[in-house]
Coordinates of all heavy atoms in Angstrom, one line a residue:
P84 N 218.1 -245.6 -58.9 CA 217.0 -246.6 -58.6 C 216.1 -246.2 -57.4 O 216.7 -245.5 -56.4 CB 217.8 -247.8 -58.2 CG 219.2 -247.6 -58.8 CD 219.4 -246.1 -58.8
D85 N 214.9 -246.4 -57.4 CA 214.0 -246.2 -56.2 C 214.4 -247.1 -55.1 O 214.4 -248.3 -55.2 CB 212.6 -246.3 -56.7 CG 211.5 -245.9 -55.6 OD1 211.9 -246.0 -54.4 OD2 210.4 -245.6 -56.0
P86 N 214.7 -246.5 -53.9 CA 215.1 -247.3 -52.8 C 214.0 -248.2 -52.3 O 214.2 -249.2 -51.6 CB 215.5 -246.3 -51.7 CG 215.0 -245.0 -52.1 CD 214.8 -245.0 -53.6
N87 N 212.7 -247.8 -52.6 CA 211.6 -248.6 -52.2 C 211.1 -249.6 -53.2 O 210.3 -250.5 -52.9 CB 210.4 -247.7 -51.8 CG 210.8 -246.7 -50.7 OD1 211.4 -247.1 -49.7 ND2 210.5 -245.5 -50.9
D88 N 211.5 -249.5 -54.4 CA 211.0 -250.4 -55.5 C 212.1 -250.4 -56.6 O 212.2 -249.5 -57.4 CB 209.7 -249.9 -56.1 CG 209.1 -250.8 -57.1 OD1 209.8 -251.7 -57.6 OD2 207.9 -250.6 -57.4
A89 N 212.9 -251.5 -56.6 CA 214.0 -251.6 -57.5 C 213.6 -251.6 -59.0 O 214.5 -251.3 -59.9 CB 214.8 -252.9 -57.3
R90 N 212.4 -251.8 -59.3 CA 211.8 -251.7 -60.7 C 211.8 -250.3 -61.2 O 211.6 -250.1 -62.3 CB 210.5 -252.4 -60.8 CG 210.6 -253.9 -60.5 CD 209.2 -254.5 -60.3 NE 208.5 -253.8 -59.2 CZ 207.3 -254.0 -58.9 NH1 206.4 -254.7 -59.7 NH2 206.7 -253.3 -57.9
K91 N 211.7 -249.4 -60.3 CA 211.4 -248.0 -60.7 C 212.8 -247.2 -60.7 O 213.7 -247.4 -59.9 CB 210.5 -247.3 -59.7 CG 209.1 -247.8 -59.8 CD 208.2 -247.1 -58.8 CE 206.7 -247.6 -58.9 NZ 205.9 -246.8 -57.9
I92 N 212.8 -246.3 -61.6 CA 213.9 -245.3 -61.7 C 213.4 -243.9 -61.3 O 212.4 -243.4 -61.9 CB 214.6 -245.3 -63.1 CG1 215.1 -246.7 -63.4 CG2 215.7 -244.2 -63.2 CD1 216.2 -247.2 -62.6
L93 N 214.1 -243.2 -60.4 CA 213.7 -241.9 -60.1 C 214.6 -240.9 -60.7 O 215.8 -241.1 -60.8 CB 213.8 -241.7 -58.5 CG 212.9 -242.6 -57.7 CD1 213.1 -242.4 -56.2 CD2 211.4 -242.4 -58.0
I94 N 214.0 -239.8 -61.2 CA 214.7 -238.7 -61.9 C 214.7 -237.5 -60.9 O 213.7 -237.1 -60.5 CB 214.1 -238.4 -63.2 CG1 214.1 -239.7 -64.1 CG2 214.8 -237.2 -63.9 CD1 213.0 -239.6 -65.2
S95 N 215.9 -237.0 -60.6 CA 216.0 -235.8 -59.8 C 217.0 -234.9 -60.4 O 217.8 -235.2 -61.2 CB 216.3 -236.2 -58.4 OG 217.5 -237.0 -58.3
A96 N 216.9 -233.6 -59.9 CA 217.9 -232.6 -60.3 C 219.2 -232.8 -59.6 O 219.2 -233.2 -58.5 CB 217.3 -231.2 -60.1
T97 N 220.3 -232.6 -60.3 CA 221.6 -232.5 -59.7 C 221.8 -231.2 -59.0 O 220.9 -230.3 -59.1 CB 222.7 -232.7 -60.7 OG1 222.6 -231.6 -61.6 CG2 222.6 -234.0 -61.5
K98 N 222.9 -231.0 -58.3 CA 223.2 -229.7 -57.7 C 223.2 -228.6 -58.8 O 222.7 -227.5 -58.6 CB 224.5 -229.8 -56.9 CG 225.1 -228.5 -56.4 CD 224.3 -228.1 -55.1 CE 225.0 -226.9 -54.5 NZ 224.3 -225.7 -54.6
E99 N 223.8 -228.9 -59.9 CA 223.8 -228.0 -61.0 C 222.4 -227.6 -61.5 O 222.1 -226.5 -61.8 CB 224.7 -228.5 -62.2 CG 226.2 -228.6 -61.8 CD 226.6 -229.8 -61.1 OE1 225.7 -230.7 -60.9 OE2 227.7 -229.9 -60.6
G100 N 221.6 -228.6 -61.6 CA 220.2 -228.5 -62.0 C 219.4 -227.6 -61.0 O 218.6 -226.7 -61.4
E101 N 219.6 -227.9 -59.7 CA 218.9 -227.1 -58.7 C 219.4 -225.7 -58.8 O 218.7 -224.7 -58.6 CB 219.2 -227.7 -57.3 CG 218.4 -228.9 -57.1 CD 218.7 -229.5 -55.7 OE1 219.5 -228.9 -54.9 OE2 218.1 -230.6 -55.4
D102 N 220.8 -225.5 -58.9 CA 221.3 -224.1 -59.1 C 220.7 -223.3 -60.2 O 220.3 -222.2 -60.1 CB 222.8 -224.1 -59.2 CG 223.5 -224.6 -57.9 OD1 222.9 -224.6 -56.8 OD2 224.8 -224.9 -58.0
M103 N 220.5 -224.0 -61.4 CA 220.0 -223.4 -62.5 C 218.4 -223.1 -62.2 O 218.0 -221.9 -62.5 CB 219.9 -224.4 -63.7 CG 219.2 -224.0 -64.9 SD 220.0 -222.8 -65.9 CE 221.3 -223.7 -66.6
Q104 N 217.7 -224.0 -61.6 CA 216.3 -223.7 -61.3 C 216.2 -222.6 -60.3 O 215.4 -221.7 -60.4 CB 215.7 -225.0 -60.7 CG 214.2 -224.9 -60.7 CD 213.7 -224.2 -59.4 OE1 214.3 -224.1 -58.4 NE2 212.5 -223.7 -59.5
N105 N 217.0 -222.6 -59.3 CA 217.0 -221.5 -58.2 C 217.4 -220.2 -58.8 O 216.7 -219.2 -58.5 CB 217.9 -221.9 -57.1 CG 217.4 -223.1 -56.2 OD1 216.2 -223.3 -56.2 ND2 218.3 -223.7 -55.6
S106 N 218.4 -220.1 -59.7 CA 218.8 -218.9 -60.3 C 217.6 -218.3 -61.2 O 217.3 -217.1 -61.1 CB 220.0 -219.1 -61.2 OG 220.2 -218.0 -62.0
A107 N 217.0 -219.2 -61.9 CA 215.8 -218.8 -62.8 C 214.7 -218.3 -61.9 O 214.0 -217.3 -62.2 CB 215.4 -219.9 -63.7
S108 N 214.4 -219.0 -60.8 CA 213.3 -218.6 -59.9 C 213.6 -217.2 -59.3 O 212.7 -216.4 -59.2 CB 213.1 -219.6 -58.8 OG 212.7 -220.8 -59.3
K109 N 214.9 -217.0 -58.9 CA 215.2 -215.7 -58.2 C 215.1 -214.6 -59.3 O 214.5 -213.4 -59.0 CB 216.6 -215.7 -57.7 CG 216.8 -216.5 -56.5 CD 218.2 -216.5 -56.0 CE 218.4 -217.4 -54.8 NZ 219.7 -217.7 -54.4
E110 N 215.4 -214.9 -60.5 CA 215.4 -213.8 -61.5 C 213.9 -213.5 -61.8 O 213.5 -212.3 -62.0 CB 216.1 -214.4 -62.8 CG 216.2 -213.3 -63.9 CD 216.9 -213.8 -65.1 OE1 217.8 -214.7 -64.9 OE2 216.6 -213.4 -66.2

Side-chain angles (χ1 to χ4, degrees):
D85 185 332
N87 301 317
D88 185 345
R90 297 169 297 174
K91 292 182 180 179
I92 300 294
L93 298 177
I94 300 156
S95 55
T97 62
K98 173 78 170 106
E99 292 80 9
E101 286 180 4
D102 289 348
M103 171 76 71
Q104 193 278 335
N105 290 336
S106 172
S108 291
K109 286 178 186 172
E110 190 178 327

